[in-house]
Amino acid sequence: VQTYIEKHNLGDILANPIMCFVSTSEKIKKGLFGGGPGPKLLIQTAILTDRWLILADNVDQNALYIKSMQLWDITVEDYEKSSFYKMIPDTGMTVNGRFTDASEAGSIFVPLGKDEAGDRFKVQIIEAVQKAKQ
């Protein structure tokens, strides 16, 4: 993460952390199309600060992908309240906005457990995004 911050000249973006967690998602083969191409295991580390969301994805224990977004430039939605939930049930947050190194806005799913830590992160990120936009 520190190498990524230096590469993009982001300064001291880790100065005011709010929450950090690690989420592990495993693809479960279901039905006709389940278990197809794509990663089988995703380990995602999320760091939420008062101004930034930093995500580090370790895909199938191979490559590490790091992304960051400024909170004032994103929207967040509880995935369970989205229209996609009925088609593909899961728990987490959908984050929409621009990544630091992207020219256009994008969307990413942040998987969360249906537990106290997952519920706490949902509340924390919603509050942090609202504060950053004020």
Side-chain angles (χ1 to χ4, degrees):
V1 172
Q2 192 61 41
T3 302
Y4 174 88
I5 291 169
E6 291 168 8
K7 177 182 176 184
H8 295 284
N9 297 315
L10 300 177
D12 196 13
I13 68 171
L14 299 175
N16 298 308
I18 295 172
M19 189 172 181
C20 179
F21 75 87
V22 176
S23 174
T24 303
S25 302
E26 199 168 348
K27 185 186 283 186
I28 300 171
K29 186 174 181 172
K30 283 187 183 176
L32 183 61
F33 300 108
K40 304 285 185 244
L41 179 67
L42 168 66
I43 299 171
Q44 185 173 74
T45 302
I47 303 167
L48 177 65
T49 75
D50 63 339
R51 294 178 36 228
W52 292 84
L53 175 63
I54 301 107
L55 302 171
D57 295 347
N58 186 307
V59 181
D60 290 335
Q61 299 181 346
N62 293 324
L64 184 65
Y65 301 97
I66 299 175
K67 301 170 276 312
S68 63
M69 304 172 97
Q70 291 190 60
L71 298 183
W72 63 268
D73 198 29
I74 67 173
T75 60
V76 293
E77 177 184 23
D78 185 339
Y79 181 80
E80 290 179 86
K81 296 177 181 174
S82 74
S83 57
F84 296 106
Y85 179 77
K86 290 179 183 173
M87 295 181 288
I88 305 170
D90 207 340
T91 58
M93 298 295 287
T94 303
V95 180
N96 299 292
R98 189 182 335 233
F99 298 105
T100 299
D101 54 355
S103 58
E104 296 181 16
S107 180
I108 191 167
F109 176 70
V110 178
L112 297 170
K114 207 168 176 81
D115 54 21
E116 184 180 336
D119 292 343
R120 184 168 168 238
F121 184 79
K122 287 179 186 180
V123 170
Q124 294 288 337
I125 193 169
I126 290 168
E127 288 177 359
V129 167
Q130 289 172 345
K131 280 185 181 178
K133 291 177 184 271
Q134 292 177 353

